[in-house]
Amino acid sequence: MTKFSDLELNPKVLKAIADAGYETPTPIQAGAIPPALAGRDVLGIAQTGTGKTASFTLPMLSLLARGRARARMPRSLVLCPTRELAAQVAENFDTYSKYLKLSKALLIGGVSFKEQDTLIDKGVDVLIATPGRLLDHFERGKLILSDVKVMVVDEADRMLDMGFIPDIERIFGLTPFTRQTFFFSATMAPEIERITNTFLSNPARVEVARQATASETIAQSVAMVKSSRRDRADSEKRALLRKIIDDEGAACSNAIIFCNRKTDVDVVAKSLTKHGYDAAPIHGDLDQSQRTRTLDGFRAGDLRFLVASDVAARGLDVPAVSHVFNFDVPGHPEDYVHRIGRTGRAGRDGKAITLCNLRDEKALAAVEALIQKTIPRLDMPSDSAPPEPEPDQDSDAKPARSSRMRGKDKPAKGDTSETSQTGPKADAVKPASENPEKAKSRQNSRKTGGDARTMGMGDHLPSFIALSFDERRSD
Ligand code: AMP
C-alpha cells in the first residue's frame, strides 16, 4: 500500500498531513498525486468523500512552495461550482499549507469586492473562486490570469448542471496554454468529455469506483404521503415530517432535510422552527454570511436540523449525521445516493427516510431502479389517517404569492436538481377519470411545463401562465 512518504510531497506538506491525522493516501490521492507532481495534467473521475480535494491540493502546494506571486497575477486557480465548496477547498488549503508561506484569496459572491481586491493586489499564490465572481473581477480589470501555472476545475459535472461550462471555457482561454490542469468530475457526460479533450493535454486519467449504491449501514425507508385534501397536501406533508422526527426520538441527534425547491427549503425550515424544532435553511439565495453561520452551527452540533437544497449541500463535508430526511423524492435519482450518503458514514449506522406523495411515485421508481432495490415502505398510521394539521398551521410559513416570490421560486441557473419536480408535480392532480377536454388541457399544460397546480383558471389556462420553467428562467 502506498504511504504519503512515498509520494515525494514537500516535507512541510507531509508534516501538515501527519498533523491532520491521515495515515495513508486514499485511492484518488495515490493515483493523482504522482502524475501531478511530475507536471502532468490529471483527469480525476471521483466524487466527494473520496479525498479528492487533497488529491489536487497537496501536489499544488508542493509545486507552489517555491516562487512568489506578483501583484494581481495569481499563480494558481481553483474553480468550484458553489460558494460553500470554494470555502471548503480554501479550508483544505489552510490545513495543508500551515507550514508554508503561501497566500490565498477566496473569490465568491456575497463577499465585498473591496476586500477581495486588496488581497489580489498584494499578489496571491492560490486563488479559489466560483466562475462568475472570477470573471467579474477579471472584467473590472483587477485580475491578470497570464501567470497561472496550475488550474483546477472541481466538480465539473455540477458546473455543467449549473450552466457554468461557457464560463469555464472562457477562463481556460484566459490562462496560458502552458498551464498544468487538474480536472475533477464525478461523471463523464459528453460535454465534459469535450472540454477535457479540448483543454487537457494527455492527462493521467484516474478513476475511483463510482458510488452506485448506498452504504449498507444506511437503513432506508419511504413514507407514502396520502393527503386528505389537495389544499392541505403541503401542510400535511410537513406534519408527517414532524411525526416521523418525533417517532425517531433521541436517536435522531441531527439531520439534513432535503427539499427539491428553494422555496420549500424556506417553508419547511420556518415551519419546523415555528413548531419548536431547531432548524435552519441553506440554499443558494441566502446571503453568504447566513449560510456560513448556519453551516458552522450545524457542524458544531449547535443546530439539529439543516434544511437544504441539493446544490447548497452538494459536496459539503458535514460530519456524519444520524438521519437524512428527503422531504421530496429527488428528481435526479443520483441525487438520492448523494443525499443519503450524508448519513451512515465511516461504518456508523444511519437512517434515511423519504417522503413520497403520489406525484413523486415516478421519481421514486427511478431511484429504486438506480439502486436496484425496493426501499421498504414505512408503516405509517397516516396511511389511514394523515396527521391532522393545526387549523392555522404554517399559515405564516407559506411564501407570499407575489410575483417577486414566484421569481425567487425559480431555480438557479441550470440548477436542475431544484427544478426537476416540475414533471412529476404536473402529474399530481390527475384525477382518476376526467372528461376529454380537461385531459387535453392538462396535457397541454404538461407539454409546456405548466404547473398543473394552477387553480381557479378553469380549463382555459392563459398560455403565459403555462410557460415552462425553462422559458421563464432568466438567470
Ligand atoms: P473530499 O472527498 O475531498 O471532500 O474529502 C472527504 C474527507 O476525507 C475530508 O473530511 C478529508 O479531510 C478526509 N480525507 C482526505 N484525505 C484523507 C486521508 N488520506 N485519510 C483520511 N481522511 C482523509
Side-chain angles (χ1 to χ4, degrees):
M1 188 187 281
T2 319
K3 293 197 290 279
F4 275 114
S5 52
D6 300 335
L7 291 179
E8 296 184 22
L9 289 161
N10 179 293
K12 290 180 177 169
V13 174
L14 283 175
K15 192 162 178 239
I17 296 170
D19 287 359
Y22 300 170
E23 285 167 5
T24 46
T26 64
I28 186 80
Q29 291 163 3
I33 294 174
L37 287 175
R40 286 187 65 186
D41 284 359
V42 174
L43 171 59
I45 304 162
Q47 56 189 29
T48 304
T50 55
K52 72 174 166 60
T53 316
S55 80
F56 62 80
T57 315
L58 301 178
M60 272 178 83
L61 291 174
S62 298
L63 294 166
L64 295 170
R66 265 183 269 145
R68 280 284 154 267
R70 286 183 281 168
R72 295 192 195 175
M73 297 174 88
R75 296 164 68 210
S76 68
L77 178 61
V78 182
L79 295 172
C80 302
T82 66
R83 300 168 186 183
E84 278 77 14
L85 274 169
Q88 206 165 282
V89 169
E91 274 173 31
N92 272 258
F93 269 101
D94 290 343
T95 307
Y96 309 131
S97 69
K98 64 187 207 185
Y99 297 114
L100 293 168
K101 283 201 185 71
L102 291 175
S103 57
K104 71 155 210 295
L106 180 62
L107 301 191
I108 52 178
V111 176
S112 91
F113 276 99
K114 206 163 163 255
E115 243 172 74
Q116 299 178 339
D117 285 346
T118 313
L119 283 172
I120 295 171
D121 281 349
K122 278 196 218 151
V124 289
D125 297 298
V126 183
L127 188 60
I128 304 160
T130 48
R133 185 45 84 99
L134 182 93
L135 286 172
D136 285 348
H137 276 275
F138 180 80
E139 271 153 21
R140 291 164 69 246
K142 296 286 180 189
L143 194 57
I144 301 160
L145 295 175
S146 55
D147 199 32
V148 169
K149 299 193 168 49
V150 183
M151 172 165 157
V152 179
V153 178
D154 194 15
E155 304 248 344
D157 48 344
R158 189 51 39 161
M159 301 263 198
L160 176 66
D161 281 354
M162 297 174 79
F164 287 153
I165 293 298
D167 288 352
I168 299 294
E169 290 190 73
R170 187 164 164 224
I171 295 167
F172 265 124
L174 296 172
T175 59
F177 78 96
T178 48
R179 72 174 183 265
Q180 192 180 354
T181 309
F182 306 148
F183 192 99
F184 288 83
S185 186
T187 55
M188 287 301 287
E191 183 69 352
I192 304 278
E193 194 91 50
R194 182 184 69 74
I195 301 284
T196 57
N197 290 340
T198 312
F199 295 105
L200 272 65
S201 159
N202 185 28
R205 188 181 168 114
V206 186
E207 187 161 0
V208 297
R210 189 170 150 60
Q211 192 185 352
T213 52
S215 154
E216 290 302 315
T217 58
I218 306 171
Q220 304 172 53
S221 53
V222 174
M224 299 307 295
V225 187
K226 291 170 189 162
S227 347
S228 56
R229 277 179 18 198
R230 201 197 303 162
D231 61 341
R232 282 193 181 177
D234 291 343
S235 69
E236 284 180 353
K237 203 173 173 195
R238 292 191 290 272
L240 181 62
L241 173 67
R242 293 196 298 277
K243 178 173 177 355
I244 291 172
I245 291 172
D246 293 347
D247 287 352
E248 291 300 307
C252 178
S253 52
N254 62 345
I256 305 181
I257 300 167
F258 284 98
C259 302
N260 289 0
R261 301 175 63 80
K262 292 177 203 165
T263 43
D264 283 335
V265 169
D266 281 331
V267 173
V268 170
K270 207 167 172 188
S271 159
L272 282 171
T273 309
K274 187 183 153 200
H275 286 88
Y277 298 78
D278 182 23
I282 180 159
H283 61 68
D285 285 351
L286 297 171
D287 81 70
Q288 187 57 36
S289 59
Q290 190 181 348
R291 285 157 69 171
T292 309
R293 229 180 308 122
T294 302
L295 259 179
D296 288 349
F298 190 68
R299 282 203 186 109
D302 298 332
L303 174 72
R304 188 172 170 214
F305 296 108
L306 182 70
V307 189
S309 65
D310 288 290
V311 169
R314 173 121 183 168
L316 291 184
D317 185 23
V318 175
V321 293
S322 72
H323 285 62
V324 165
F325 297 106
N326 291 316
F327 187 72
D328 310 286
V329 183
H332 292 302
E334 320 81 68
D335 282 339
Y336 177 83
V337 180
H338 291 145
R339 287 180 180 189
I340 72 167
R342 298 323 172 101
T343 184
R345 283 188 156 190
R348 268 175 282 199
D349 288 337
K351 237 173 168 182
I353 304 178
T354 301
L355 273 62
C356 177
N357 53 21
L358 279 180
R359 67 187 173 213
D360 283 348
E361 276 182 355
K362 261 195 227 159
L364 181 64
V367 167
E368 293 185 326
L370 177 76
I371 62 171
Q372 295 184 349
K373 70 181 230 181
T374 305
I375 308 169
R377 287 358 184 210
L378 265 189
D379 232 355
M380 294 304 297
S382 56
D383 277 358
S384 45
E388 194 56 33
E390 295 148 28
D392 68 339
Q393 184 185 312
D394 300 328
S395 53
D396 62 351
K398 285 193 177 118
R401 279 276 147 222
S402 68
S403 55
R404 198 175 145 262
M405 202 62 217
R406 272 203 299 277
K408 284 215 135 210
D409 211 275
K410 277 190 262 179
K413 180 174 173 181
D415 187 345
T416 48
S417 61
E418 294 183 3
T419 64
S420 50
Q421 285 308 294
T422 315
K425 267 182 183 162
D427 286 337
V429 293
K430 184 181 179 183
S433 65
E434 58 188 355
N435 72 40
E437 259 311 292
K438 263 198 180 148
K440 199 168 120 214
S441 157
R442 188 173 50 73
Q443 257 168 15
N444 280 341
S445 160
R446 188 191 285 162
K447 229 187 275 168
T448 55
D451 188 340
R453 286 175 301 169
T454 309
M455 287 163 70
M457 290 292 174
D459 291 332
H460 303 286
L461 190 67
S463 58
F464 73 92
I465 288 182
L467 282 179
S468 70
F469 272 109
D470 283 335
E471 289 162 283
R472 277 189 265 160
R473 198 149 66 193
S474 59
D475 59 347

